Amino acid sequence: MINVGTDLGTSRDAVALAERYDKGVYAIVGLHPTDTEGPFELEAFRRLAAHPKVVAIGECGLDYFRLNADPAVRAAEIVAQKEIFLAQIAIANEADKPLMLHIREAYGDALDILKEHARVKGNSHFFAGTIEEAKRFLDLGFTLSFTGVITFAKQYVELVEYVPLDTMHAETDCPFVAPMPHRGKRNEPVFLSEVTDKIARIKKLPLEEVESALLGNAKRFFGIDLA
Ligand SMILES: [Zn+2]
């Protein structure tokens, strides 16, 4: 189980939770792109990033979905998002840990920034882009992850078919988007099996093959040894 922080407080909580277990529980630390209000706590995040239980930096990225309607405020928000994203890419480069990317309606800008600045791999979480955008991530050697949304939204079928099994992850985005048949409930890590099952059905592969491939992908991407 990998708990993903979205600000300094939840990042610290994720590390504290991981510390309570010898293995099998890990943390990701970062500042969500919609959180541009306060100053970015660079030194605090750098220290957390070096923690042995921290396996990636994020959620970080760009999110243009809920920008202010006022063009001037909107432009300032985009500048702030890019600065905070660049700071977190630098932290990931320094810690030599991958990026957990939250990108919404901003794939072009995010890809341009990543191509120029990232010296580590990344995963585009809750991927909802086009096949062309998926290809650009795969060309960078990045991975894409899918949530319970694929169990009830038809527009992901072609994308899941397209993305090679060894370049994808399954995730919950917990507590959001509970998969079928648990819609309306709080999402839980245990419901991840519904996502892997759907990937197996879309790709017409045996479930065991998909499960073992995805476990291998996660161990490789996050540098996790469960032995
Ligand atoms: Zn996200």
Side-chain angles (χ1 to χ4, degrees):
M1 185 168 74
I2 302 172
N3 284 304
V4 187
T6 54
D7 59 24
L8 189 55
T10 53
S11 295
R12 283 180 171 145
D13 289 348
V15 172
L17 186 62
E19 278 176 338
R20 284 162 48 188
Y21 299 85
D22 280 345
K23 59 182 177 186
V25 181
Y26 304 89
I28 296 179
V29 299
L31 187 67
H32 196 274
T34 54
D35 201 341
T36 52
E37 298 286 298
F40 179 67
E41 305 266 5
L42 179 70
E43 283 312 313
F45 277 114
R46 279 183 74 204
R47 273 196 302 277
L48 280 181
H51 192 286
K53 291 280 182 159
V54 170
V55 294
I57 308 307
E59 290 186 23
C60 62
L62 300 175
D63 187 330
Y64 296 170
F65 182 64
R66 280 195 192 86
L67 289 174
N68 199 286
D70 181 300
V73 179
R74 189 186 175 86
E77 283 177 345
I78 290 176
V79 168
Q81 283 198 18
K82 287 182 177 174
E83 278 174 9
I84 295 169
F85 186 26
L86 283 166
Q88 293 181 91
I89 293 172
I91 289 172
N93 287 341
E94 181 186 69
D96 195 23
K97 290 178 182 178
L99 290 155
M100 183 54 71
L101 301 160
H102 171 105
I103 304 163
R104 193 166 185 191
E105 297 190 0
Y107 286 110
D109 280 5
L111 278 156
D112 290 345
I113 288 172
L114 289 162
K115 200 167 183 181
E116 190 175 339
H117 298 279
R119 296 196 304 273
V120 293
K121 299 294 185 222
N123 174 64
S124 190
H125 121 87
F126 208 137
F127 186 73
T130 61
I131 298 254
E132 292 68 35
E133 286 159 345
K135 186 179 181 305
R136 287 190 64 192
F137 281 104
L138 299 178
D139 287 347
L140 284 178
F142 283 25
T143 53
L144 306 168
S145 62
F146 298 98
T147 67
V149 76
I150 68 168
T151 66
F152 58 86
K154 300 251 182 302
Q155 68 263 35
Y156 289 89
V157 172
E158 208 188 335
L159 203 49
V160 172
E161 277 172 347
Y162 170 77
V163 178
L165 187 60
D166 63 352
T167 60
M168 65 162 65
H169 303 285
E171 59 159 321
T172 59
D173 200 39
C174 181
F176 311 109
V177 285
M180 290 287 276
H182 307 289
R183 298 293 299 146
K185 291 186 203 156
R186 183 191 192 281
N187 204 353
E188 297 289 341
V190 71
F191 297 160
L192 190 70
S193 58
E194 305 295 342
V195 183
T196 51
D197 185 63
K198 183 69 182 190
I199 292 170
R201 279 186 285 133
I202 291 173
K203 287 194 165 296
K204 299 182 175 67
L205 291 169
L207 180 59
E208 302 70 45
E209 185 182 329
V210 170
E211 284 174 342
S212 103
L214 294 183
L215 184 61
N217 295 348
K219 286 158 82 172
R220 200 165 57 243
F221 181 80
F222 295 110
I224 287 171
D225 182 8
L226 292 173

